[in-house]
């Protein structure tokens, strides 16, 4: 059984149990299901023996990075803030924590930010609703690369800069990034956003580069390609469907951009990750 598991891919979650002659089969299934839920890891194969014991990893040190990330976002340094998110997810991956522990950490992280950034504006924090959305969203992720993008979008969505109606131009970048995350499927451009918010295009472009470390176009392209990788991994095969869903009308152009960013064609990427 172990040899068979070693030949399987990273999405396999495996456990087994030795059933007694007088033991009900439903009881064995319930035990296996509970064992998998307690030991499953994101983007990693799981093979759990009957004598396995679940132990949470020590992730207390990661909260230091969380506090640094929070400070950077509060100061408007989005580039270094998102870099810190990447360091946080990389450390979580290195710790090989279970999905159960990961869900708890992400829930506490987002609730902490929501409490600090939005309580003063909304007067309350709707924790149960956030937890329900969190659990359903996390279960759809298949890798730490996806987690990094998902968590960055969640944190950007909570950032208080996007709540103000009369914000200064330098405070618009979180709102602009959220606009990209919500409308990347459509034909959007920085000129459109600048005109809608009565901001100088050149000034907004410079602010975006200073705060994120990349141009608006580069950020949009990489975000779209990241979404395309998820669609390809999930089994969407028609290139025209994938390109259309991430904002590219021309499938050939999309394929060219994808290969330039990822290093291989969409077809090759889909075949390798299937």
């Amino acid at each position: 059984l172990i040899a068979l598991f070693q030949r399987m891919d990273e999405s396999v979650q495996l456990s087994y149990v030795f059933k007694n002659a007088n033991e009900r089969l439903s009881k064995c299934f319930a035990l296996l299901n509970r064992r998998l839920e307690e030991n499953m890891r994101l983007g990693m194969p799981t093979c759990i023996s009957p004598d396995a014991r679940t132990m949470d990893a020590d992730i207390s040190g990661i909260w230091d990075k969380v506090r640094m990330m929070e400070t950077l976002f509060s100061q408007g340094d989005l580039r270094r803030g998102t870099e810190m998110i990447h360091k946080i997810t990389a450390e979580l991956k290195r710790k090989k924590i279970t999905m159960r522990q990961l869900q708890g950490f992400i829930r506490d992280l987002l609730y902490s930010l929501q409490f600090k950034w939005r309580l003063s504006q909304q007067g309350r924090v709707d924790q149960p609703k956030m937890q329900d959305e969190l659990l359903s969203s996390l279960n759809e992720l298949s890798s730490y690369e996806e987690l990094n993008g998902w968590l960055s979008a969640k944190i950007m969505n909570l950032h208080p800069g996007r709540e103000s109606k009369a914000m200064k131009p330098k405070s618009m970048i979180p709102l602009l990034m959220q606009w990209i995350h919500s409308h990347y499927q459509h034909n959007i451009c920085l000129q459109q956003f600048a005109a809608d918010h009565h901001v100088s295009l050149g000034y907004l472009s410079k602010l975006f580069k200073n705060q994120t470390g990349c141009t608006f176009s580069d950020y949009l392209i990489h975000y779209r390609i990241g979404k395309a990788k998820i669609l390809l991994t999930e089994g969407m095969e028609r290139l025209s469907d994938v390109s259309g869903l991430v904002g590219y009308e021309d499938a050939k152009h999309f394929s060219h951009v994808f290969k330039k960013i990822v290093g291989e064609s969409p077809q090759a990427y889909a075949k390798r990750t299937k």
Side-chain angles (χ1 to χ4, degrees):
L1 185 61
I2 301 300
L4 176 62
F5 169 76
Q6 291 174 343
R7 299 205 305 268
M8 295 181 176
D9 64 30
E10 63 183 17
S11 63
V12 172
Q13 309 294 330
L14 174 68
S15 184
Y16 61 96
V17 65
F18 297 105
K19 178 182 175 299
N20 297 326
N22 59 347
E23 193 172 14
R24 294 181 60 183
L25 191 59
S26 59
K27 182 180 179 180
C28 294
F29 276 121
L31 173 63
L32 288 172
N33 186 59
R34 184 170 64 252
R35 190 180 293 163
L36 283 172
E37 288 180 347
E38 292 178 351
N39 291 273
M40 192 179 304
R41 290 171 170 80
L42 177 64
M44 302 178 189
T46 302
C47 183
I48 309 156
S49 62
D51 58 348
R53 295 292 181 269
T54 303
M55 293 184 63
D56 286 348
D58 180 11
I59 59 173
S60 57
I62 299 180
W63 285 103
D64 293 333
K65 291 183 174 63
V66 171
R67 285 185 283 272
M68 292 175 62
M69 178 269 297
E70 178 189 345
T71 300
L72 290 168
F73 270 96
S74 298
Q75 293 174 346
D77 194 341
L78 306 185
R79 179 182 62 82
R80 293 176 62 196
T82 51
E83 288 176 356
M84 189 57 63
I85 294 175
H86 181 74
K87 292 179 180 179
I88 290 171
T89 55
E91 182 68 8
L92 291 171
K93 182 178 181 180
R94 189 183 70 81
K95 293 284 187 178
K96 297 182 179 180
I97 68 174
T98 63
M99 281 294 293
R100 176 184 52 78
Q101 189 180 8
L102 176 62
Q103 289 173 349
F105 171 80
I106 297 298
R107 180 187 63 244
D108 292 344
L109 166 61
L110 293 180
Y111 182 69
S112 174
L113 293 178
Q114 187 180 43
F115 183 85
K116 293 178 180 178
W117 287 349
R118 304 184 71 175
L119 180 62
S120 60
Q121 298 173 4
Q122 297 182 347
R124 64 185 179 86
V125 179
D126 191 359
Q127 185 181 15
K129 181 179 180 181
M130 188 186 75
Q131 287 185 4
D132 292 342
E133 179 186 352
L134 167 71
L135 294 177
S136 61
S137 299
L138 269 180
N139 289 333
E140 296 175 358
L141 303 178
S142 60
S143 69
Y144 275 91
E145 180 183 22
E146 292 182 14
L147 174 64
N148 184 69
W150 177 89
L151 185 57
S152 297
K154 287 287 184 183
I155 292 175
M156 197 61 62
N157 189 47
L158 291 176
H159 197 277
R162 65 188 299 270
E163 299 293 335
S164 175
K165 299 296 183 181
M167 63 182 68
K168 297 178 180 179
K170 67 179 182 179
S171 301
M172 284 188 174
I173 305 306
L175 178 61
L176 175 54
M177 296 176 73
Q178 180 60 27
W179 183 67
I180 294 173
H181 299 166
S182 301
H183 298 85
Y184 68 91
Q185 307 99 324
H186 309 295
N187 183 21
I188 62 175
C189 62
L190 188 59
Q191 291 92 327
Q192 176 185 345
F193 184 91
D196 290 344
H197 293 82
H198 311 289
V199 184
S200 165
L201 174 60
Y203 183 50
L204 188 62
S205 178
K206 182 178 179 180
L207 282 175
F208 191 90
K209 178 69 179 292
N210 289 341
Q211 291 194 31
T212 66
C214 62
T215 65
F216 173 86
S217 297
D218 285 344
Y219 186 89
L220 176 60
I221 290 172
H222 280 81
Y223 192 80
R224 283 172 166 170
I225 296 303
K227 290 295 184 179
K229 290 167 69 176
I230 295 175
L231 293 174
L232 292 166
T233 302
E234 291 177 346
M236 184 169 288
E237 298 180 353
R238 292 185 58 183
L239 201 59
S240 58
D241 292 339
V242 176
S243 62
L245 286 173
V246 298
Y248 289 95
E249 296 181 0
D250 187 343
K252 290 184 178 179
H253 176 61
F254 161 73
S255 182
H256 173 75
V257 173
F258 188 98
K259 187 173 183 179
K260 182 179 179 180
I261 299 297
V262 181
E264 57 185 339
S265 68
Q267 297 90 337
Y269 177 84
K271 183 178 181 180
R272 180 173 60 82
T273 58
K274 182 176 293 185

